[in-house]
Structure formats: C-alpha cells, structure tokens
C-alpha cells in the first residue's frame, strides 16, 4: 500500500527484502514494513535514492522463520513482528519500541523495589569520563579500551582531554566516592543507577549485544572484604530470584573463572541462562572488586581505630540483554511467549461480532469484563479495532506472547460466559469454554491460570535445561557434548591456558563454577588432578 | 577528622576552601567535604598532590551563604549541604546524589502516570545520531550545532561519519517514524522517552544548565494540524498542573515569541516560573513542530482518501532543571524547603534521650509512630544515629527541606504524644506540642499539616510572583521595572528586531505571551501600534 521507502536499512539486503515483507504480509501482521534489518549503516542514511517497493499479496502463511529452521532468523523475525525493537540508523544501535520497552519497565519495577529494600539509593553519574580515568586500573583499561566510543569535539572545538562515553562507571564512581568517603561512618555507601552505556561491539544482535544498551549498575563501598563479599553474593541472589520467579528463567548462579572475570574485579558471580538453541546467555553479573579501584583512585576511609584504609567494593548489573533472554527462553514458532508476571499485557480481550446489532451488547460485556479484570490488578487490553479480523488479532497477540486471550461474542454474552485461550498450550487443548463472567469467579479463574502459566513456563525451561546439561569426565566427552550443542559439566582445576585451549578448540567457555556443587572427591577431567569444583562449559552469546 | 584530600576540585579555590568548610563545620553539617566546587576541571584530576587540610572548630554559625546576601552562592551552598548534587570531573557535568535524584524520581513518578493516561507509551531511541541528520532541518541545525558533543572515534578507529550525542531527538525520531508510519491507521503515534541529553553549554549551573542532563522528551505524529496543536496544548497543561499541584510552583503558561521559539518548531508553549531572586526559569516546553521535521525526513502517511501527506508533529520536555526550580522557588536561609507531595522524606522522626535507660522506651515509641505513618502511606524516616546530636539533626533536616519533624523524648512517651515542627514556619510558631500518638489522630493530623504546607508554599509563591510582576505602558517603564529585577508585562506587537533590542539594552527577553490575557484594546508599549496581546519580559536563567 505504501510504495516509497527511502531508508537504506530497508534497502541494504535489497534482494531479500520483498520476500521478507511478503512473509509478514501473508497473515497481514502489520502493514508497516518496520522489520529489523541487520544491515543498517551509519553512512549514507540520507543519500540513498528513493526506491519503489511493491507489496503484493503474500503467498506464504508463516509470519516468522520457524524456530527449528533457523533460530537466529526466528529471533530477529519475532523482534520485528512482535514490535519489540528496530535497528537504529547507526550500525549496531537499537530502537526499543513500546512493547519491548514495557518488558524492560517490568524488569525495572521489580528490581528497583528490591534494590531499595536491600538498602541502595538511586543516583546519577555523568556519562562522559576523562580518558585518563579509564587508564588508572590496569586490567580495566585492557578490558574496555578496544570498545570505547570517544568524544573529541565539544561545542565546535577539539577537546584538550578526550572523553569516553561510559562503557561502565566504576572509574567515575570511584572518583566521586573518594570525595564523599572520609570515615567509617560514611560506609557502607550503596548506590545504583539506571543508565545507558556504550560499548563499541563489532558483532551486534538486538537486545543481546548492541552498541548502546540500557542497564542498572549498582556500586557499593564497604569497610571490610567480608561485607563486600556478602553484598556481591546478596545481589547475585536478587538476580537469581528475579530470573526464576518473575522471568521464569531457571538460571544457574555461580562464579566465573579467572579468565572470564570482569576487568577490574577479584571475583565475578554470574547467572547463566540456557536459550532455546541451547547456547548460554550471561544474564546478570555481580562483582567483588576487592580494593582494585579504591587503590587506583585512592578511595580511603579512617577506620574506628584511626587507621586509613582502602574501601572494599562491589558492582553488579542487569541490562536490556535480559529481554533477549526472555525471548530466547520461552518463544516458539508462533512468536513470543511472556511469563505473566512480566507481561505488559496479561490478558487480551478480542470482541467478536458480525451483525451491526450484535456490536452493542458484545462491547458492553467486553467493557464490563475489562473493568472487572483491571480492578483486580490484572493488566488487560481490549483490541476493538474494526480494521482487523478476530483471526488476525489472535495471531498478533500470540506473536506478542500475551499469556491469556479472552474471546467474547454474542453467544457468550447470552450465556454470561467467555472463552479463554492459553498462549502456552497450543490449539484446542489450551481453550476453555463457558467460563463465567461473574466477576469473583472470572478473576479467580484468570489469576489461577496466570499462576499456572507462570509455573508451567518455568518448569518447561527447567526440564529443557536439565535434559541438555551432560556430566563429562574427559576432554573427549566434553568435545562430544559441546559439538551436540549441549552444556558440559565436569570437574575442573586446570590452568587458564587449558581453559583458553578448550575455547579455541570447541568454542565453549567456562560459563561458571555453579554454587550448587556435587559432593564427593573429584578429578579434573582435563588433567586428572584433584578438583574442588565442577565447571559448566558451553557455547554462549 | 579526615585530613587528606586529593582532589583538585577541592583544591582549586584553595584560599577560600578552608573557610567554606568551616562554615559547614560550625553546625557540624557533615564531616565530609563533599561541597560543590565550581572549579572542577577535566584535566589533571589524578595529578594533584595530596594536600593537608585542617578541620578546626568553626567560628561561623551559618551553614550556607544567606539567600539575601548572595542568591547564587546560597543556591550552590544548599545543593552541597542538602546533598543534592556534586560536580562531575568533566567541566559542566553534575553528579545527581541520592537525595536530589529522589526529587527527580518524584517528578518522574507523577509525570509518567500522566503521560500514560494521555495515551503515550515509553520507548527508547539511541543517543548517537548521524551528523547528517542534524543538518536536515535548517533552523534545527542552526540552533543546535554550536552545542554538540561529537563522537569521532569508535572501537579504536576514526569513524566515517561523525556521530552527535543527542542534544534532543527530533531527527532520529523522525527517521524512525518514517519507517513506522505508512497509513492514517498508524496515527496518532504518541511516544515518550526518559533519557540523558548533552548540550555543550559554556556557562553551567547545577540542575539549571549542565553539559549533560536528564529529561523526558515526548514525540507525537498526527494526521492534522488541529490534532497536533491540541496535543501540544494538552502537554503544556499537564506540565502546568504538575507545577502547581505537585511542585507548588505557580508557573505562567504561555506562548514563546518567534525569537524564542524552539529551533524547528512553528510554536513553542512554555511554563515560566519566578525564582526567589525574581529571575525567570523556563521550566518546561511543548512544541507544535508543524511539518518541519516530517518534510525534512519525508515522514508521510496515506490519508483516508489515498492521498500522501506529511504528518503533523509535537515534542515536549521537562528536565532535571525543574529540580533547580524547586530549590530556587521555595528555599530560604535555612536551606531547602520541599513541597510535601514531592518530598522524598515527608516526616523525619528525631528520637531524644539522654540516659541509657531512656533509650529503650523512646525507640519503641519511635518505631511504633514510624510504622503508623508508613502504613498510612506517609514517607517517613527515623534518624536514630548516635553519632549526631538532636540539634545537629534538626538543622540537617531543615537544610534538606523535610516538611515536618517529629521530636520524641521520654516525657512525650509518658504523655503518649509527640512534638511537631513545620519546616515552613520558623521558630516556636511552627511547633505543636502534645499531639497524640493515637494512630488515627496522629495520621489525620499529619496529613492535614502536609496539605496545609503544600497549599501554603503555593500561596506564598503566588503572592511573591504577583507582587513582582508590573504592568508597563512604555519602554521607559519596562526599563525601570527590569532594572529593579522584576517582571514587566505590557502590550507587545513590535518586531523581532525590537525584541532583540530590548534584550540587548535590558538583558530581559520575552518569557511568554501568557494564555491568561487582559481584555480590551491594547497598544504596543514600544511602537504605539495596536497589540493583540501582552507579553511578559524578564531576565532569566
């Protein structure tokens, strides 16, 4: 219907584009060609000539590439079709669209309360950091300098000192902590900020790895190592609970290997999630920074005995990457599947009527059901658009992963009942007919169903995870397990060099030494030496 | 107590520094010398040598420069003493500390709900904008190009196209809108984002004008001019209500002159607030962008008749500048004075006991009162620190502008009552003794007082505003009024050149043509020609 497209992001994979559009067109998902396009580029965004693009009727019914056919294509297709995000004009950047942002807001709402309950205050640090700051902590600069975006011009003039756009804030935080912390009475200092950060990534993927992303970063300073360690563990625990209880993602919490530890930390704790393609996703981290930054920035305090000491610190973060984790954990061929507790829409009501005189009674009942659910604190949306058919809406909200759909037509009004469909149970099995409209009955029923769906998504993910983690006792076994795309778990006490060798030969890395360890004596599967712990190896995002 | 200070920001005004610290020390405001220092510089932050600084007993009692003595010094002193913000290491940047950020969160919480109620969704656009985008809208580039921060290096390499760190997002928003909008069915498109923005300002002032600041920016696209105009007016109305009802700031809403209109807008609406020094603060703006950006970015839609049309747009913003407006509207010599509805702490409880055996009963009563208020939804804090005296705490929470203080000692416990102090009524007049601890009585009493304080702050500000706006009928009168530091209101239909002449000769600008206009025929005070409207002239921040 619209024929003039001017944007290079849509033009770049020119040959593939019309087919991709048609796929969407088939089920009329959206007339707007707002599909994610991996080839957006910085340059020339304005110089591309207008190109005509026809939108003929579709000859394919599938909205998105089937997950089993091509997991990566499925992922980007779902992001486009469910209107979660789009590519920005600068290579590697992402626009988070309202529906995707609403998932992020659900993550924020939960965590923000937990951070405050555990004694943290929000604040805000500037995003421009003097280049010299980054260089102060040796391993930090090594880790981050290849990924920096650098401001060299300000107000039309070349700057005397280049400014780094924050890739993370430890350095500027410590600069300020040094001003604020004088005495043990100023400790602990526990803060958090919600912010954007920039890392110049070469290989980007929406939500998972983008040039700019949103996150929260907690930063704390303590009088003792023990306190800092307790804090780092507390926050990885907050993340773990969030993942299990809200996002229905059965992450494995554990400690990173030395090789995989954050640039500047003594210890990094992580939560590792298994995606639908069995690759691992590092979904959140909490670092015990020891005194690395406090020594680099001279962040000291006078203790109770009048001794000057360096503070002990932590930092911890979860980012918009987590949204990608939710998509890749729960989604299926029909699109997104959202756990009810973080779903922006928990229930969608689709009114169904054919004859004009049916509309009035149906819409009246729809409004009443909507109010009932809203008052009960359920996030409900009515799609009463007359531009789309009920069938189109069914597909669209399945694509959006809305946990429950209510269908309401003239016959339902007569029976004072509704039809329910569960997103997580396909076809007729997921349908319930004749659920009473009586507010108390309907609300209880829907709340029960939402809890069931929440629990069911988690259980399904646990089953999937556990059936794809294999215990190994030799490097050969590890290679086989990894080549099957699964996670390998085995006793490990070998060297950093051995770890890098595994990475080179299998593309798998140590995801973590899980907190949950098997009992009994163990021997390292690589060296045969005694090992205290098992490690989990996997390919990862 | 701490003697080693390593930071140039504290060293720069070396001569003045100890005295400034002493001033704070006198009332023991805070042992941490985290005072704002206007001389922070980018360079050399790490190279300054340690310098010893003595903290002797104070010989001055005033914590901050009196407001009447030096309004600007008072402002920065209050920001430091109330721990609202601090200077960042890069010139012109600001660190928003937890207490200052909590005020911003109160602003966000209110507006976020209003934006959603009026049909807007939150989302997020990348902050890096191709330089070429900025150049597309002629007046936009003229307005913003002198203030840009430019990224020229990414991932260690010189970039092909320089990237602008967003000063505002109209250009990138339109780039994306062009992808998303095809048909009238895609309209209206109404979104908002909470984000940081960067403008390379030469003369900065905490909260009021900083190199980077936080804001929300709403962006909408509509099918008709009328709809866009209605939206622009609706949002300035949301801001006006917020200012009056939450922040107790009696802003004057109106239209900007052509000269003062946003770079790229057809019309700019504004809310103008009078600060304690009678200077004007532009506290929020809403722009009718017409088709300026939609023409520059070819943002078109097919209307119901199949005609391709450019969309009509608006944008509107409120920023952390508003926090500065709150400080400068309500503060007094004793520090900040916060309207209860946006105060992070509405009631502070200070326990008072001398003998060890008194502590138990006092703290028990304190905990009970705290729970009572908390359960009633009142934001309450107990300061039970034993490191500070009650007198110190009284001063500290006055400085922080907490609306109500509760004092609770052994005698109060015996009488089952508390002592109340209102922040806005100094001395004994603001004290109430013997207020019953009985939950229902106490809660009602405090809620009433909070509402009284809220209303009283607004009324005081209205009285102050109205007594400092003077009607003028000649340029001579205007000059006199402006030279007295007041606002001048008079009929105006003169040219842009005349407006610039007024600015040059008096430093005053047209703040707005207020919506609220006097009736009857008017003659321009500058030209004597007929005038449709009065304008308000003032010096401004």
């Amino acid at each position: 219907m619209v024929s003039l497209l001017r944007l290079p992001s849509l033009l770049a994979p020119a040959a593939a584009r019309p087919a991709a559009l048609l796929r969407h067109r088939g089920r009329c998902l959206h007339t707007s060609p707002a599909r994610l396009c991996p080839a957006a580029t910085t340059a020339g965004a304005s110089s591309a000539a207008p190109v005509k693009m026809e939108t003929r009727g579709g000859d394919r019914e599938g909205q998105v590439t089937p997950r089993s056919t091509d997991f990566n294509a499925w992922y980007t297709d779902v992001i486009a079709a469910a209107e979660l995000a789009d590519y920005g004009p600068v290579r590697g950047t992402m626009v988070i669209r309202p529906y995707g942002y609403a998932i992020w807001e659900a993550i924020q709402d939960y965590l923000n309360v937990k951070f405050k309950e555990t004694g943290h205050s929000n604040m805000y640090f500037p995003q421009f950091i003097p280049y010299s700051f980054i260089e102060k902590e040796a391993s930090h600069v090594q880790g981050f300098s290849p990924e920096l975006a650098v401001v060299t011009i300000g107000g039309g003039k070349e700057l005397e000192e280049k400014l780094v756009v924050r890739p993370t804030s430890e350095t500027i935080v410590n600069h300020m902590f040094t001003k604020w912390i004088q005495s043990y009475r100023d400790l602990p200092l526990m803060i958090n900020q919600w912010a954007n950060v920039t890392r110049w990534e070469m290989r980007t993927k929406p939500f998972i790895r983008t040039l700019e992303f949103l996150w929260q970063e907690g930063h704390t300073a303590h009088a003792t190592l023990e306190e800092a360690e307790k804090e780092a563990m507390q926050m990885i625990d907050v993340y773990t609970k969030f993942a299990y209880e809200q996002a229905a993602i059965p992450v494995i919490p554990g400690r990173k290997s030395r090789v995989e530890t954050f640039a500047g930390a003594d210890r990094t704790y992580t939560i590792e999630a298994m995606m639908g393609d069995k690759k691992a996703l590092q979904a959140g981290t909490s670092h015990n920074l020891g005194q690395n930054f406090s020594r680099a920035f001279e962040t000291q305090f006078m203790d109770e005995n009048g001794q000057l000491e360096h503070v002990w610190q932590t930092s911890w973060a979860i980012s918009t990457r987590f949204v990608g984790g939710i998509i890749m954990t729960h989604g299926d061929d029909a699109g997104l599947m959202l756990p009810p507790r973080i779903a922006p829409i928990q229930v969608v009501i689709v009114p169904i009527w054919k004859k004009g005189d049916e509309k009035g009674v149906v819409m009246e009942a729809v409004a009443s059901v909507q109010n009932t659910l809203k008052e009960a604190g359920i996030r409900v949306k009515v799609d009463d658009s007359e531009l789309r058919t009920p069938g189109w809406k069914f597909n669209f909200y399945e694509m959006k992963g809305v946990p429950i759909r209510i269908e309401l037509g003239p016959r339902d009004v007569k029976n004072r009942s509704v039809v329910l469909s569960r997103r997580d149970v396909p076809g007729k099995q997921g349908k319930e007919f004749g659920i009473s409209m009586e507010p108390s009955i309907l609300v209880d029923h829907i709340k029960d169903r939402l809890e069931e769906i929440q629990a069911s998504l988690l259980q399904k993910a646990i089953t999937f995870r556990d059936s794809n983690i294999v215990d190994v006792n030799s490097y050969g076994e590890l290679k086989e397990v990894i080549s099957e795309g699964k996670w390998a778990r085995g006793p490990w006490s070998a060297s950093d060099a051995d770890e890098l060798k595994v990475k080179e030969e299998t593309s798998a890395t140590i995801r973590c030494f899980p907190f949950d360890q098997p009992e009994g004596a163990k021997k390292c599967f690589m060296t045969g030496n005694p090992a205290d712990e098992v490690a989990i190896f996997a390919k990862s995002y």
Side-chain angles (χ1 to χ4, degrees), chain A:
Chain A
M1 70 139 290
V2 162
S3 50
L4 281 181
L5 294 169
R6 299 154 218 87
L7 298 173
S9 59
L10 282 166
L11 302 176
R17 175 63 37 199
L21 277 175
L22 288 182
R23 272 196 275 140
H24 291 263
R25 194 83 195 345
R27 251 160 134 189
C28 282
L29 188 80
H30 206 262
T31 51
S32 158
R35 190 164 178 275
L36 279 168
C37 161
T41 53
T42 300
S46 55
S47 59
V51 163
K52 235 178 179 154
M53 187 179 295
E54 284 175 75
T55 51
R56 292 158 295 165
D59 49 3
R60 254 191 77 175
E61 281 301 304
Q63 296 173 343
V64 298
T65 309
R67 212 180 83 130
S68 52
T69 312
D70 182 340
F71 193 84
N72 285 319
W74 167 83
Y75 178 73
T76 45
D77 282 357
V78 166
I79 286 172
E83 300 175 335
L84 296 170
D86 203 341
Y87 286 92
V90 174
R91 185 201 61 79
T93 63
M94 170 178 68
V95 181
I96 307 179
R97 301 184 71 180
Y99 197 62
Y101 197 84
I103 299 174
W104 178 237
E105 285 181 312
I107 295 173
Q108 290 187 300
D109 288 347
Y110 174 91
L111 288 178
N112 209 30
V113 169
K114 294 295 164 196
F115 295 160
K116 289 185 179 177
E117 280 175 7
T118 45
H120 306 90
S121 301
N122 285 334
M123 60 179 299
Y124 189 76
F125 291 87
Q127 74 165 338
F128 291 158
I129 300 175
Y131 199 92
S132 58
F133 280 28
I134 303 289
E135 295 170 321
K136 284 196 188 188
E137 209 286 331
S139 62
H140 195 66
V141 63
Q142 207 183 343
F144 283 103
S145 67
E147 295 182 358
L148 299 175
V150 184
V151 174
T152 62
I153 297 170
K157 285 184 189 143
E158 195 84 21
L159 300 179
E160 278 182 47
E161 177 167 15
K162 289 173 190 168
L163 302 178
V164 167
V165 186
R166 72 177 152 230
T168 180
S169 300
E170 278 76 9
T171 58
I172 193 166
V173 165
N174 263 81
H175 175 79
M176 300 309 298
F177 275 17
T178 304
K179 292 179 72 172
W180 298 333
I181 297 169
Q182 308 296 330
S183 137
Y184 66 93
R185 290 179 299 201
D186 301 321
L187 298 176
L189 184 48
M190 298 162 79
I191 63 97
N192 175 65
Q193 80 173 353
W194 295 93
N196 55 343
V197 276
T198 298
R199 296 179 186 175
W200 209 268
E201 303 279 1
M202 282 301 107
R203 294 170 58 187
T204 57
K205 188 182 182 74
F207 289 113
I208 298 305
R209 184 173 280 112
T210 48
L211 202 138
E212 178 191 6
F213 55 96
L214 303 181
W215 76 350
Q216 58 68 217
E217 48 180 325
H219 296 273
T220 68
H222 307 266
T224 65
L225 167 62
E226 291 68 32
E227 251 187 68
E229 176 66 14
K230 201 175 149 197
E231 165 77 1
M233 290 291 283
Q234 170 181 258
M235 299 324 289
I236 205 70
D237 193 47
V238 165
Y239 291 159
T240 305
K241 280 208 180 72
F242 164 72
Y244 270 84
E245 294 173 8
Q246 302 295 311
I249 300 182
V251 294
I252 295 183
R255 195 185 76 253
K256 284 282 181 193
S257 68
R258 275 187 305 271
V259 169
E260 299 284 334
T261 292
F262 175 74
D266 281 354
R267 284 183 166 203
T268 289
Y269 300 112
T270 180
I271 50 173
E272 298 288 323
M274 185 185 284
M275 301 293 96
D277 62 353
K278 292 175 254 168
K279 281 173 86 170
L281 185 78
Q282 177 181 304
T285 49
S286 178
H287 313 294
N288 183 335
L289 303 172
Q291 294 179 316
N292 299 325
F293 288 93
S294 66
R295 287 184 187 279
F297 285 84
E298 291 292 346
T299 317
Q300 291 175 289
F301 71 103
M302 195 77 82
D303 71 12
E304 297 192 38
N305 307 316
Q307 293 291 313
L308 211 52
E309 306 278 359
H310 290 95
V311 298
W312 301 84
Q313 295 187 262
T314 80
S315 66
W316 27 276
I318 264 187
S319 75
T320 37
R321 155 176 272 215
F322 208 98
V323 176
I326 291 167
I327 303 168
M328 290 200 283
T329 299
H330 302 299
D332 65 10
D333 283 355
L336 207 56
M337 199 183 303
L338 291 178
R341 290 195 191 150
I342 53 160
I345 306 167
Q346 295 174 313
V347 176
V348 62
I349 306 177
V350 178
I352 300 171
W353 49 272
K354 279 176 186 156
K355 287 169 281 175
D357 59 344
E358 292 171 349
K359 185 180 169 183
V361 287
V362 167
M363 290 314 296
E364 198 183 320
V366 162
S368 152
V369 169
Q370 180 185 24
N371 278 340
T372 297
L373 298 184
K374 207 171 165 183
E375 276 167 23
I378 295 166
R379 295 187 289 274
V380 58
K381 180 191 166 82
V382 171
D383 188 342
D384 57 1
S385 158
E386 295 185 19
L387 299 168
R388 304 294 187 192
T389 65
W392 183 93
K393 292 176 188 175
F394 291 0
N395 290 336
F396 186 61
Y397 293 101
E398 277 174 19
M399 178 59 66
K400 289 207 162 215
V402 175
I404 292 176
R405 176 178 76 235
I406 289 180
E407 302 161 29
L408 217 167
R411 207 186 316 173
D412 304 299
V413 175
K414 209 175 286 167
N415 301 332
R416 305 288 308 147
S417 70
V418 300
V419 179
L420 246 61
S421 278
R422 276 174 69 157
R423 171 64 180 86
D424 63 325
V425 183
K428 282 193 180 158
Q429 267 199 301
K431 283 216 170 196
E432 291 183 285
F433 297 89
I435 307 302
S436 169
M437 273 187 209
E438 178 58 40
S440 64
I441 298 176
L442 183 63
V443 166
D444 282 356
H445 193 88
I446 288 194
K447 285 193 170 173
D448 284 353
R449 283 295 166 275
L450 290 173
E451 283 308 310
E452 262 179 58
I453 295 170
Q454 183 80 30
S456 166
L457 290 188
L458 177 61
Q459 194 47 58
K460 221 170 91 192
I462 290 175
T463 304
F464 180 75
R465 178 197 71 182
D466 291 346
S467 65
N468 287 298
I469 303 181
V470 181
D471 286 307
V472 297
N473 282 298
S474 71
Y475 187 34
E477 282 178 26
L478 177 133
K479 281 182 179 166
E480 200 181 311
V481 168
I482 296 296
S483 74
E484 287 166 3
K486 298 183 177 184
W487 293 16
R489 178 174 48 199
W492 182 265
S493 62
S495 66
D496 294 355
D498 281 336
E499 188 179 337
L500 292 168
K501 183 181 128 188
V502 174
K503 183 177 181 179
E504 203 168 300
E505 293 179 357
T506 69
S507 300
T509 49
I510 296 184
R511 302 317 303 157
C512 69
F513 294 96
F515 293 147
D516 188 13
Q517 287 283 337
E519 285 178 24
K522 289 174 279 285
K523 275 188 185 171
C524 175
F525 70 76
M526 182 64 96
T527 61
N529 293 332
D532 289 336
E533 295 168 295
V534 296
I536 290 176
F537 290 77
K539 291 183 189 172
S540 72
Y541 282 101

